[in-house]
């Protein structure tokens, strides 16, 4: 239930409460904190501040409690803002001091307030709530018209409340922010207690987070052929082979492949390579595409052996759009859209079904209720999936691949039939149905493991499924989805995985995409061809809110955040699975998903995950070494305001003059020596590629560098 709708607005008399709160603070502290330190004449001391205060027409002013504003616009890292109570839904209390009014929030938290010059002061007592029951740490920050005007410093549980009292005359926009104190956001139950505006003009109104215009940065692909996609591709000898040459440009187009090994053939009209994977070995082929406007060629190294997914898998997964509404029809439409939209032309390949294709003991949809298995123990799809083999045939006919999902426990996370005690049968069935990828969850397996959290117990179901999949006469990728337990990145490959989720469901944490990415990048040492850290799907365009498994709506991320998402996933060599609505792909979403130069960073054959070489409270630099010797660099700004970031050659370990290429705009910006600086917008990543001046401009693709 939304606490905002259940609680009454605060009563009057806030000024008194604020005075009591401030009065209860230690004197020297009060003196220091009452200085409104953002004034242009910031050097004024407490005495001057008092003079200013007494000069205000206070009797004409009214106080407006923070909790009376529309807090639905507050963004926070966990839970919902609480009116006059803490995140634990108890009375607000900081170090034993109780407060009758205020707002309980959780780091990271932001609230933008339009003051429009009508507010004289903002006053509050801030600190961690006593009921948090854990070792949180936070920092409260206030910004007036884009400038930081107050900060609490790091506060820990038991720290006495700190008073804020700021002169805001003339200020148009205020930002109230709670940052993490440096140890992650667990237990960061933060109180803006006794928080109020002293208002003499228009009343303060909360604002949506600033949302810039959705500008399409990337030029549309030209009409002449451009072959995209990886330069290396793994397969297992003797298994069915399927590869659609990802190529932008006008159709009709003619495709051919030089030195294609025996057993493989290319369809000249579609560019789909099929057949039987060749004998163990490496085959250097050249892909060619021609239309009436020109031609392109690109090398591809086919590596037939034990390893698959030599570059991060790319595709679409239904979860964050259709949840338990997925049907055969929607899956086919997704495949249609992957081709029609051009996604397949830049390398998206897997069309993956997630949970809810099986039967469940109970579901609000009677079509999904039925026997879980037949008399022989074979898993039964629900009635929304009349023929899974026909569905994968449909997907394969496009040259695309099909993914499926289950859980090692008796039930999946959504309560549908899992694989427990039928693992071999299910692996065979998935292969017979023609699936090319299995996402293997953990849900309900905990009951089987019975609290045994040893490494062997954590690995057991994956080791079993990894072996089973290897024995099928198909190449089937294994994506472990156990949220990072037991440092899965250290052993995911050993048990047969090709990728492993490094954290929980990102759909619950879209406010924390930067933090999740930076955490994921800490596991960079375990990222390499065939072995990928998976921070979850790309959630841009139309997605359904993960909490209510809602119908797809425009995603909450700003356009800049959406670019940042894709930039970070590319720098980190993360599997690139879009999970938005394939039937509502607008030009902006496609431009974020489909920039071949950005994807080339993701698909780089070295398989490196970007390295964070500078990390400050608000900014960071992430660098990724690429196979041709060039480097991709992300200049990231987690802060709330545009800021200039400098990438120094010394930090990036590059020397000499470098051509700096803006990958989103596909434009060389400049030749720089020593460093490169750029303004980076709020929650943005500027993504550039540096190559030594004088080296070829198109390192991959046509130049045949591989
Ligand atoms: C878990 C996974 C999600 C999704 C759901 C399906 O939460 O982490 O990615 O597969 O299960 O129920």
């Amino acid at each position: 239930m939304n606490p905002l709708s259940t609680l009454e607005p605060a009563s009057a008399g806030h000024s008194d409460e604020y005075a009591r709160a401030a009065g209860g603070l230690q004197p020297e502290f009060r003196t220091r904190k009452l200085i409104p330190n953002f004034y242009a004449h910031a050097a004024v001391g407490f005495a001057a501040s008092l003079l200013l205060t007494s000069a205000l027409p206070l009797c004409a002013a009214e106080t407006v409690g923070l909790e009376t504003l529309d807090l639905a616009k507050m963004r926070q890292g966990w839970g919902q803002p609480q009116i006059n109570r803490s995140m634990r839904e108890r009375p607000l209390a900081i170090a034993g001091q109780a407060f009758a009014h205020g707002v309980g929030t959780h780091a990271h938290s932001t609230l933008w307030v339009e003051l429009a010059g009508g507010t004289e002061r903002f006053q509050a007592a801030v600190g961690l709530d006593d009921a948090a029951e854990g070792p949180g740490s936070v920092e409260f920050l206030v910004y007036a018209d884009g400038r930081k005007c107050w900060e609490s410093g790091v506060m820990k549980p038991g720290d006495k409340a700190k008073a804020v009292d700021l002169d805001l005359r003339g200020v148009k926009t205020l930002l109230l922010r709670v940052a993490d104190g440096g140890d992650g956001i667990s237990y960061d139950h933060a109180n803006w207690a006794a928080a109020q505006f002293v208002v003499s003009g228009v009343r303060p109104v909360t604002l949506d987070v600033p949302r810039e215009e959705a500008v399409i940065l990337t030029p549309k692909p030209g009409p002449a052929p451009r072959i995209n996609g990886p330069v290396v591709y793994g397969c297992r000898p003797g298994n069915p082979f399927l590869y659609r040459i990802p190529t932008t440009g006008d159709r009709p187009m003619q495709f051919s492949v030089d030195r294609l090994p025996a057993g493989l053939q290319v369809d000249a009209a579609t560019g789909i390579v099929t057949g039987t994977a060749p004998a163990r070995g490496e085959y250097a082929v050249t892909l060619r595409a021609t239309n009436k406007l020109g031609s392109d060629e690109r090398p591809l190294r086919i590596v037939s052996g034990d390893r698959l997914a030599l570059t991060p898998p790319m595709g679409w997964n239904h979860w964050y759009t259709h949840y338990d509404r997925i049907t055969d029809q929607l899956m086919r439409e997704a495949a249609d859209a992957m081709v029609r939209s051009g996604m397949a032309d830049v390398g998206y390949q897997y069309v993956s079904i997630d949970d809810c294709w099986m039967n469940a003991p109970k579901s609000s949809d009677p079509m999904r209720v039925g026997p879980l298995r037949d008399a022989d123990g074979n898993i039964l799809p629900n009635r929304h999936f009349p023929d899974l083999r026909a569905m994968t045939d449909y997907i394969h006919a496009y040259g695309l691949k099909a993914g499926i999902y289950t859980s090692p426990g008796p039930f999946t996370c959504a309560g549908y039939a899992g694989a427990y005690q039928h693992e071999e049968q299910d692996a065979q069935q998935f292969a017979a149905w023609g699936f090319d990828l299995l996402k293997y969850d953990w849900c309900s397996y905990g009951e089987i493991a019975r609290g045994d959290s040893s490494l062997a117990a954590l690995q057991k179901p994956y080791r079993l499924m990894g072996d089973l999949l290897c024995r099928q006469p198909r190449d089937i990728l294994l994506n472990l989805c156990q949220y990072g337990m037991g440092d899965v990145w250290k052993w995911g490959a050993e048990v047969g995985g090709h990728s492993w989720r490094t954290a929980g469901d990102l759909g619950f944490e879209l406010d924390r995409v930067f933090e999740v990415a930076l955490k994921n990048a800490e596991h960079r040492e375990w990222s390499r061809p065939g072995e990928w850290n998976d921070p979850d799907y790309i959630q841009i365009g139309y997605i359904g809110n993960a909490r209510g498994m809602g119908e797809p709506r425009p995603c909450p991320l700003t356009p800049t955040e959406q670019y940042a998402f894709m930039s970070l996933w590319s720098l980190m060599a993360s599997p690139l699975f879009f999970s938005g609505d394939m039937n509502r792909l607008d030009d902006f979403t496609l431009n974020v998903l489909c920039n071949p130069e950005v994807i080339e960073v993701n698909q780089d054959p070295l398989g490196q995950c970007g390295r964070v070489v500078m990390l400050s409270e608000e900014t960071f630099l992430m660098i990724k070494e690429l196979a041709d010797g060039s480097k991709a660099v992300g200049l990231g700004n987690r802060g709330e305001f545009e800021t200039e970031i400098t990438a120094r050659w010394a930090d990036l370990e590059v020397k000499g003059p470098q051509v700096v290429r803006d990958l989103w705009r596909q434009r060389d910006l400049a030749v720089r020596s020593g460093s490169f600086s750029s303004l980076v917008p709020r929650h943005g990543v500027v993504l550039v590629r540096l190559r030594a001046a004088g080296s070829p401009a198109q390192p991959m693709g046509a130049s045949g560098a591989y």
Side-chain angles (χ1 to χ4, degrees):
M1 199 187 292
N2 181 356
L4 297 179
S5 58
T6 58
L7 282 167
E8 291 174 16
S11 54
H14 293 161
S15 305
D16 293 352
E17 190 185 354
Y18 172 76
R20 273 199 309 278
L25 301 171
Q26 294 157 355
E28 83 284 341
F29 170 67
R30 196 168 74 223
T31 307
R32 187 160 51 83
K33 287 303 168 191
L34 282 172
I35 297 172
N37 57 0
F38 76 104
Y39 296 155
H41 46 284
V44 292
F46 182 51
S49 158
L50 279 183
L51 282 174
L52 277 171
T53 308
S54 55
L56 294 173
L58 267 181
C59 22
E62 67 168 319
T63 60
V64 174
L66 177 64
E67 71 283 356
T68 65
L69 306 190
D70 175 9
L71 298 181
K73 299 200 188 299
M74 190 170 224
R75 292 279 160 269
Q76 59 182 47
W78 183 81
Q80 302 285 330
Q82 301 290 320
I83 295 174
N84 298 343
R85 62 186 192 178
S86 72
M87 290 304 296
R88 293 259 184 255
E89 304 184 4
R90 306 221 199 113
L92 295 163
I94 302 170
Q97 190 178 359
F99 297 89
H101 85 100
V103 172
T105 184
H106 199 290
H108 302 111
S109 165
T110 55
L111 183 66
W112 296 81
V113 188
E114 182 173 43
L115 303 180
T119 289
E120 295 182 357
R121 307 193 78 78
F122 173 70
Q123 303 167 325
V126 301
L128 276 164
D129 192 83
D130 290 349
E133 293 163 7
S137 72
V138 297
E139 186 165 18
F140 293 80
L141 303 117
V142 183
Y143 302 77
D145 289 335
R147 291 178 49 212
K148 195 195 292 175
C149 60
W150 190 80
E151 60 192 327
S152 64
V154 173
M155 296 188 73
K156 305 230 177 240
D159 286 353
K160 285 196 181 312
K162 292 192 179 179
V164 193
D165 183 9
L166 301 169
D167 184 336
L168 297 181
R169 283 173 297 171
V171 171
K172 293 191 177 59
T173 309
L174 191 73
L175 168 63
L176 302 180
R177 175 172 171 223
V178 184
D180 161 46
D183 59 354
I185 67 159
S186 302
Y187 305 108
D188 282 356
H189 296 202
N191 294 339
W192 291 101
Q196 62 189 15
F197 300 87
V198 179
V199 177
S200 57
V202 288
R203 290 169 68 92
V205 179
T206 57
L207 296 170
D208 288 318
V209 293
R211 198 178 172 91
E212 59 287 339
E213 216 187 309
V215 178
I216 293 180
L217 297 178
T218 308
K220 282 218 178 305
R226 174 186 158 127
I227 304 181
N228 304 299
V231 291
V232 57
Y233 180 80
C235 55
R236 293 201 180 113
N239 281 355
F241 187 100
L242 179 67
Y243 183 79
R244 183 186 197 277
I245 303 171
T247 312
T248 53
D250 288 355
R251 271 38 177 199
M253 205 177 269
Q254 292 79 47
F255 292 89
S256 63
V257 183
D258 297 353
R259 300 180 302 279
L260 197 58
L264 298 183
Q265 55 278 325
V266 61
D267 181 311
T270 61
I272 300 173
V273 184
T274 53
T276 301
R280 192 170 284 272
E282 294 201 9
Y283 303 84
V285 305
T286 302
L287 311 173
R288 292 185 194 286
T290 308
N291 68 9
K292 62 176 189 298
L293 293 155
S295 64
D296 192 22
E297 61 175 57
R298 185 169 174 91
L300 178 69
R301 190 156 47 90
I302 298 173
V303 183
S304 190
D306 303 314
R307 297 187 328 144
L308 306 175
L310 297 180
T311 61
M314 294 176 63
W316 174 81
N317 171 289
H318 98 251
W319 187 244
Y320 287 116
T321 299
H322 301 300
Y323 298 103
D324 58 356
R325 300 179 292 275
I326 190 63
T327 61
D328 171 283
Q329 181 62 26
L330 287 167
M331 293 299 295
R332 289 172 191 242
E333 285 170 14
D336 297 343
M338 192 174 278
V339 172
R340 193 183 54 234
S341 67
M343 284 175 70
D345 294 340
V346 293
Y348 291 90
Q349 204 181 16
Y350 290 87
V351 181
S352 286
I353 186 167
D354 205 280
D355 205 343
C356 309
W357 60 267
M358 328 74 167
N359 277 316
K362 55 178 193 253
S363 158
S364 54
D365 176 356
M367 297 267 285
R368 293 177 206 269
V369 180
L372 307 185
R373 293 179 180 272
D374 69 13
D376 298 324
N378 295 310
I379 182 84
L380 292 171
N382 65 46
R383 279 172 283 149
H384 288 291
F385 295 91
D387 187 344
L388 281 172
R389 177 74 223 196
M391 187 184 94
T392 65
D393 284 347
Y394 186 89
I395 294 169
H396 290 151
Y398 282 122
L400 303 175
K401 296 181 177 176
I404 196 162
Y405 162 103
T406 189
S407 182
F411 294 101
T412 65
C413 297
Y416 290 72
Y420 183 56
Q421 290 184 327
H422 294 277
E423 294 83 357
E424 181 159 13
Q425 215 169 358
D426 286 0
Q428 284 167 355
Q429 180 68 84
F430 298 153
W433 277 333
F435 284 100
D436 309 290
L437 177 153
L438 173 67
K439 171 176 173 182
Y440 208 33
D441 214 309
W442 171 264
C443 278
S444 83
Y445 189 81
E447 295 151 34
I448 309 300
R450 290 213 186 89
D452 180 355
S453 55
S454 66
L455 209 50
L458 288 177
Q459 293 176 345
K460 192 172 165 193
Y462 300 102
R463 211 179 271 289
L464 174 63
M465 189 51 84
D467 288 348
L468 287 167
L469 292 182
C470 259
R471 282 194 257 130
Q472 304 310 313
R474 289 191 73 75
D475 292 349
I476 304 180
L477 302 190
L478 177 60
N479 171 219
L480 278 58
C481 178
Q482 47 81 290
Y483 336 118
M485 288 185 296
D487 292 352
V488 64
W489 40 90
K490 296 183 180 162
W491 50 265
E494 183 201 319
V495 300
H498 300 95
S499 60
W500 35 83
R501 280 268 297 278
T502 52
D505 292 13
L506 183 58
F508 295 123
E509 301 193 278
L510 281 182
D511 282 341
R512 303 187 58 240
V513 170
F514 280 101
E515 285 68 36
V516 169
L518 289 168
K519 190 81 206 152
N520 182 71
E522 286 177 14
H523 317 311
R524 62 181 302 277
E525 172 184 343
W526 290 277
S527 168
R528 60 178 69 93
E531 307 174 17
W532 308 107
N533 292 313
D534 172 11
D536 209 356
Y537 305 133
I538 298 183
Q539 294 166 66
I540 66 172
Y542 277 72
I543 58 163
N545 188 307
R547 283 189 204 285
M549 295 186 15
E551 293 284 348
R553 298 196 196 300
C555 78
L557 302 176
T558 65
T560 301
E561 288 168 337
Q562 297 182 48
Y563 279 116
F565 205 140
M566 187 72 185
S567 301
L568 291 170
W569 264 233
S570 294
L571 284 163
M572 296 189 302
S574 308
L576 283 186
F577 277 75
F578 174 56
S579 193
D581 192 343
M582 295 293 280
N583 286 329
R584 272 186 270 195
L585 287 165
D586 52 49
D587 284 353
F588 179 78
T589 307
L590 282 170
N591 128 88
V592 175
L593 290 173
C594 293
N595 181 330
E597 294 199 22
V598 173
I599 291 173
E600 201 157 77
V601 170
N602 174 271
Q603 293 289 299
D604 185 80
L606 282 188
Q608 281 206 3
C609 168
R611 180 162 44 101
V612 176
V613 294
M614 182 282 284
L615 179 64
S616 74
E617 196 184 310
E618 301 199 328
T619 62
F620 63 90
L621 281 176
M622 193 185 279
I623 171 169
K624 175 173 178 165
E625 328 272 337
L626 303 173
D628 68 343
S630 68
K631 293 176 200 250
V633 183
L635 294 80
N637 174 15
R638 295 191 281 168
E640 295 301 318
F641 301 97
E642 181 180 72
T643 189
E644 186 174 78
I645 302 181
T646 298
R648 290 193 179 74
W649 280 197
D651 291 336
L652 307 180
E653 294 171 20
V654 295
K655 290 204 172 74
Q658 301 283 324
V659 180
V660 182
R661 185 167 177 82
D662 176 336
L663 294 184
W664 281 110
R665 293 182 176 79
Q666 300 182 345
R667 208 166 58 203
D668 287 349
L669 293 177
V671 178
R672 286 269 181 278
S673 294
S675 70
F676 166 71
S677 299
S678 177
L679 282 175
V680 184
R682 167 186 185 270
H683 295 191
V685 171
V686 165
L687 181 64
V688 296
R689 186 164 177 165
L690 304 183
R691 64 170 202 274
S695 61
Q698 286 277 318
M700 293 171 72
S703 70
Y706 297 91

